[in-house]
Amino acid sequence: AETPPSPGGEDQKDQPARLTAKPPSKPLDLDLTFGFGYKSNVIALGVGRSLPSTVTRRGSKFERATLDAKYSWKLTGGDGLAAGYGYTATFYENIPSSNLEDHVAFLDYKHVLASRLATSWRISDQFTQVGGSNFRNQVELRPSLTFTAWSE
């Protein structure tokens, strides 16, 4: 079975924490987007391959919505903490069995070691559904070391 693309790879929420000397100007970031379009090969079949008997066409109009929320706390000594949630949904008009819903919740901790060096830790949980059925639940702990070569 083909693995659907992870929307998390397209979002900022999947990026390592950035090194910053200033606290965020707004502790709460909230983004909401809507879009629509047409995808000519929803089920990702190779050229010339026959459609499965349960699917009548390859292409479909779609609607996409995303919600991203992140709250940041400035801690002592340049440390920071952030908690967030992201949701991406893609609904196909003609092929609902390929509908994709993706939820990501995360907690980031950043510790500044020196003026250009920081470490961060992220714990996250990504839950994905395809066609209304549970596809995966991915829990991750990710350490990071960031060096800034130059500053603005």
Side-chain angles (χ1 to χ4, degrees):
E2 180 87 12
T3 301
S6 173
E10 302 168 13
D11 297 315
Q12 291 179 343
K13 65 182 172 285
D14 206 32
Q15 300 299 316
R18 300 275 187 235
L19 177 61
T20 177
K22 299 181 285 185
S25 58
K26 298 178 287 182
L28 178 64
D29 290 322
L30 187 61
D31 297 311
L32 183 63
T33 66
F34 297 98
F36 61 92
Y38 180 83
K39 188 171 182 178
S40 64
N41 193 3
V42 174
I43 57 175
L45 279 179
V47 175
R49 305 274 321 255
S50 299
L51 289 171
S53 60
T54 57
V55 178
T56 59
R57 57 176 52 174
R58 291 177 194 262
S60 179
K61 296 178 190 173
F62 69 88
E63 295 85 36
R64 179 170 293 147
T66 66
L67 168 68
D68 293 302
K70 181 172 136 180
Y71 193 88
S72 301
W73 294 269
K74 172 95 170 121
L75 305 175
T76 60
D79 290 2
L81 190 64
Y85 170 78
Y87 174 73
T88 300
T90 305
F91 297 106
Y92 295 97
E93 183 177 293
N94 299 322
I95 309 173
S97 62
S98 292
N99 289 350
L100 177 71
E101 292 185 73
D102 195 60
H103 306 263
V104 177
F106 64 90
L107 181 65
D108 288 335
Y109 171 72
K110 178 192 65 148
H111 177 69
V112 176
L113 300 169
S115 64
R116 295 182 174 209
L117 188 64
T119 184
S120 65
W121 292 83
R122 168 173 282 199
I123 186 165
S124 63
D125 185 11
Q126 181 177 15
F127 176 69
T128 305
Q129 292 180 303
V130 177
S133 299
N134 295 348
F135 178 74
R136 72 172 169 209
N137 188 39
Q138 177 178 308
V139 178
E140 178 181 48
L141 175 62
R142 181 176 60 199
S144 170
L145 184 64
T146 304
F147 175 76
T148 303
W150 63 88
S151 57
E152 297 174 12

